[in-house]
Amino acid sequence: MDFAVASTAVVILFLVVVGYVSIVYVFGPKYDPREPPVLSHHIPYVGHILGLIRYGQHYFEILRSVVEEACHRERVAVMTVSQFNLCAGDGCISGRGESLLFCARLGTLARIAIVIAPFARNSGLPIFTLQTLNRRTYIVSSADLVAAVERNQKTISFFPFVSAVSPRLFDVPRHGPAMKIINQNINKDDGDWGLVHETSKGMHAAMAPGPNLDNMNRSMLSIMEGYFNELAAKREVSVDLFEWIRHRFTIASTEAIYGPGNPFKRQPELGHDFWTFNREITKILLGFAPRLLASQGWRARQRIVKATNAYFARGDDKDGLGVLTVRRDLGKKYGASIDEISRFEIGDAIGVLINATPTLFWTVMHIYSDSALLEDIRTEISRFMTTESSPDSPRKHILDITNLQDACPLLVSTYREALRTRTEASTSRWVTEDTILTDQYLLKKDSVLLIPGALIHADPVWGPDAKEFNPRRFIGGSDVKAGANRTWGGGQTLCPGRFFATTEITSSVAMMVARFELQPVGDGRRWVIPKQDRNSVASSIHPPKEDVKVKVTEREEYKGDQWVFRFAEEVK
């Protein structure tokens, strides 16, 4: 009986293997030799997908490390079409034939086979192909190719992803009225109109330097100013730094969108709901039974949508700021209901909060953990701020946000370097027609193309210290090639909120650094930079995996003083 069971199991296993191999052979893509080199996982067509699920955007860095290790480790197995040998030494790959097949192992990552065309032996892999199910996924890893991708916007487009992701992101039926509105002229076949394109243009205009942006800055930083005053009033307090930033930044940033009726301020628990949704957004976007597998994030999103519906029902949107007005009015123009507009607002919350909040945390960490940098930035701020005093009131220190970025180049450079070294998001594109990139690489129609920020920011174009944190990198500007800086995306996905984010973060950091001492609690009172929590596929800059507890006190020379931001309309 046991023998019969074992025999049956062997037969079933054999049939499964044969079936899988047959499916891979029949339905798998056939590669043109002009396409970028192929990186084949030892589990064909699904191995890279599993890697992305497990490691998120960090998976692309792991792939790069595998390639580098294959080229530099002391012993690398090399197989060519015509021979097999061992290559020893510090890594020069040798062999004959049209391609080389390397096998390397990195940590817990399973073995990956890398087929590298001869042109890539010395130049690395500026672009390569991942085998994913029955599609190709091209990965751009060189800054030199980014500009070429952006120049081909007609055939390498972002907008098909909007159509693909929206049903899961907004929780609307794929063929329902909301998606019909979103999909109107999504590929610009009939010109530059449609909800998606007009909303993008309207948001760029509303968040460009000018009165609308000034109002957003004033609204956001006025609330942060109050939070800093509350912190100072406690004299000495221990806080979990990221949690302190996250709660207050969430309310202050959304106030700059929704105005006095801000649902996130009216119901502070919505902030926790948003970050719960963000934590599970990867499972939600995968679409595999999200109500069960991402139940907390699913319910959190429902509560946010309900509260946003109530915001519109109360008429609070009449006091919303320019960017909210743009989205609401365009939604109504194209026939969206209030519930659908409320669901679309999830996308804006992601844009406003998901990256700016951890960026503030990492910038603060980099500054306070480097005593020399901290002192230099404090000196820079002290020369820039103004002080008013009178016999009848405490001294008042004024930070003029209209001049901060010009007056504090080291602070701004540190912030920009935090963005560069922490950005891990991938710019996503869909290849709509066969395209030849730089007269060299063939990109096939209906393939996916990704530009991982972490790979581009480690490109040698940034210099020999590309992988290191250099707070002075951007002082005096940066002469890197176009497309090498992916902190704000680029082309069709250039972030419209980049000016707002820069002002809210650098101004908040300036106030903290000038006003407060932060000292780590525990672990010998040493600053320890935590690892990143890479669970969210929507995040470009990830939050810390573990929070950092700090003791906060006012600086001795400024105890009891007043601190205020000065805004554009107050400048004489």
Side-chain angles (χ1 to χ4, degrees), residues 508-526:
S508 296
V509 170
M511 180 74 82
M512 289 188 72
V513 167
R515 191 172 183 180
F516 299 104
E517 298 287 3
L518 268 61
Q519 186 176 42
V521 175
D523 197 21
R525 295 185 177 181
R526 294 181 301 107

Side-chain angles (χ1 to χ4, degrees), residues 3 6 29 36 79 85 101 120 136 151 156 165 239 366 376 383 501:
F3 176 77
M79 182 186 300
N85 62 13
L101 179 64
R136 300 160 171 82
R151 285 195 298 269
I156 307 176
V165 170
V239 300
H366 282 299
D376 288 345
R383 293 171 179 166

Side-chain angles (χ1 to χ4, degrees), residues 312-324:
F312 285 111
R314 291 190 301 269
D316 287 343
D317 56 301
K318 70 180 184 300
D319 297 319
L321 279 75
V323 68
L324 181 279

